Amino acid sequence: MKQALRYIISLGLAGGLMWFAFKDQNPAEMLDRFARSDWRWIALSCLFLLVAHVVRAWRWGMLMEPLGYKPKLLNSSMAVLTGYFANFIVPRMGEVTRCGTLYRLEKVPVNLSFGTVVAERIFDVLILLVLIGVNFLLEFDRLSTFFMEFFQSKLGGGAGGGGLLWAFLGFAVIAIPLAIYAIRNKTLQAKLMQNAFFSKIVEFGKGMLEGLLSIRKLRSPGLFIISTVSIWVLYYLVSYVLFFCIPETSTLGPLAGLTLLVVGAIGMAAPTQGGIGAYHLLVGNVMILYGLSQNDGLTLATFIHGTQMLFMLAIGALAFLFVLFKNGKTTSEALKVPA
């Protein structure tokens, strides 16, 4: 029942966000633009996406080596693709599905592989935070204006442009000294740790730190860092090359691609199937900062998200069938009785 409610709420949220994003759009005009797109760039984008997931599987294997397991790249790739396939059906089920699939193929215990997935996500979050920082430094005027106006218009903010910013600054002025005081006061720390919510935050922070330090146990930390950076470079190229598919977006530059990567990653983190709705709403609006109309921005967001979703559903379904066939074949061979 809990899983069913989670699915229904997620699906309802995605539907509501999609309605809000598309309520003033002309579907026929959007479909006409898709029909006129250059499909060679789409093929290149899909290739970059597939390579990114294979590199992710390779990096995942590095994290399992210190635990005594070295899965084949093909099997770990199938597990990664199956996980993404599951994410488009049930939000946040991809990690569990990925680990369960790897157990079927390589007999790696789920609890061990899930721990490596958590460590992997920590490094991805760290890279995303760095990209957000770089993006804000390079595009501060555009992005600060966008987020101020977006939250005020979409979430019912007031007319005062600086109200939200001053509220954030006021919170920071109060919170930072309190945090420093809490770190230095051992008695206060002991009392706070008795609070379940606060203790969970502390444990989460310790887990992130432990995950970051786990890179020291790897056989090749340099290769792990290179693979992590490669994954995000490929993610950047996946979206950037699609700019050239549609004439209205072909003039967008590299900085627009960086903004799309950062804002799109935030949208994909929403608790909906594959970020549906949140991705369209955020990317469709942020592209206005680069000279596109809202209609063109939403067309681009739909094109990028739709291309990736359809490709991942197709390749993920093939990976799922591969796992079923291979697992069924292995089971039938194990059950054969020697003559």
Side-chain angles (χ1 to χ4, degrees):
M1 180 63 70
K2 183 179 178 180
Q3 291 180 350
L5 285 174
R6 183 191 302 174
Y7 183 79
I8 292 170
I9 292 172
S10 174
L11 195 62
L13 179 60
L17 290 173
M18 289 292 283
W19 173 85
F20 188 81
F22 285 91
K23 60 185 176 68
D24 298 321
Q25 304 303 316
N26 185 346
E29 182 181 345
M30 189 175 291
L31 288 174
D32 180 64
R33 291 186 182 185
F34 292 163
R36 291 186 287 109
S37 60
D38 189 340
W39 291 89
R40 292 173 298 179
W41 292 108
I42 297 176
L44 182 60
S45 175
C46 292
L47 177 62
F48 283 142
L49 185 59
L50 180 60
V51 173
H53 292 326
V54 173
V55 174
R56 179 175 289 279
W58 175 48
R59 184 185 67 170
W60 190 26
M62 293 185 205
L63 287 171
M64 282 182 276
E65 281 190 29
L67 302 176
Y69 295 92
K70 193 175 181 180
K72 296 178 182 177
L73 181 59
L74 176 62
N75 289 338
S76 57
S77 298
M78 292 298 106
V80 168
L81 293 173
T82 305
Y84 279 104
F85 176 71
N87 252 348
F88 278 105
I89 301 173
V90 181
R92 303 295 171 262
M93 281 297 294
E95 287 79 4
V96 177
T97 302
R98 190 213 291 198
C99 297
T101 301
L102 191 67
Y103 175 76
R104 282 173 172 262
L105 297 174
E106 294 278 355
K107 301 306 178 186
V108 179
V110 173
N111 61 328
L112 292 180
S113 61
F114 191 79
T116 59
V117 170
V118 173
E120 183 187 49
R121 291 301 185 212
I122 290 171
F123 285 97
D124 284 333
V125 169
L126 181 63
I127 293 292
L128 179 58
L129 291 176
V130 171
L131 289 175
I132 290 173
V134 171
N135 197 203
F136 263 93
L137 285 175
L138 297 176
E139 298 281 64
F140 179 78
D141 292 336
R142 282 177 171 169
L143 291 178
S144 59
T145 301
F146 165 72
F147 281 108
M148 293 291 294
E149 294 180 353
F150 178 82
F151 285 110
Q152 286 172 4
S153 61
K154 305 301 182 185
L155 303 180
L164 189 61
L165 177 60
W166 282 111
F168 175 78
L169 291 175
F171 173 78
V173 168
I174 296 172
I176 292 175
L178 287 176
I180 295 173
Y181 174 75
I183 291 172
R184 294 183 175 181
N185 192 315
K186 301 297 183 182
T187 305
L188 180 60
Q189 287 182 32
K191 291 182 178 179
L192 289 174
M193 286 300 293
Q194 295 176 2
N195 181 276
F197 177 73
F198 182 81
S199 63
K200 286 182 179 180
I201 294 176
V202 173
E203 290 300 320
F204 178 75
K206 288 181 178 179
M208 286 191 65
L209 181 60
E210 185 179 348
L212 291 173
L213 295 177
S214 67
I215 192 173
R216 297 178 302 179
K217 303 176 183 178
L218 299 178
R219 187 181 64 180
S220 304
L223 283 178
F224 182 86
I225 294 173
I226 290 172
S227 64
T228 300
V229 173
S230 299
I231 289 169
W232 284 92
V233 170
L234 287 164
Y235 283 165
Y236 172 84
L237 293 173
V238 165
S239 299
Y240 181 70
V241 298
L242 289 179
F243 285 173
F244 305 105
C245 286
I246 306 172
E248 291 82 0
T249 62
S250 59
T251 57
L252 294 174
L255 283 179
L258 178 60
T259 300
L260 188 147
L261 174 66
V262 168
V263 175
I266 296 172
M268 292 294 286
T272 60
Q273 286 83 347
I276 295 174
Y279 183 94
H280 300 78
L281 194 61
L282 285 173
V283 172
N285 280 276
V286 80
M287 286 295 104
I288 297 174
L289 302 178
Y290 295 91
L292 298 184
S293 65
Q294 188 171 24
N295 187 42
D296 288 340
L298 189 57
T299 299
L300 176 64
T302 305
F303 191 74
I304 293 174
H305 188 276
T307 300
Q308 294 182 25
M309 183 178 71
L310 291 175
F311 178 73
M312 286 310 305
L313 286 174
I315 200 74
L318 291 175
F320 181 72
L321 292 175
F322 170 86
V323 172
L324 286 180
F325 174 77
K326 187 170 183 180
N327 189 68
K329 185 176 179 181
T330 303
T331 303
S332 62
E333 289 175 352
L335 292 174
K336 285 183 180 179
V337 179

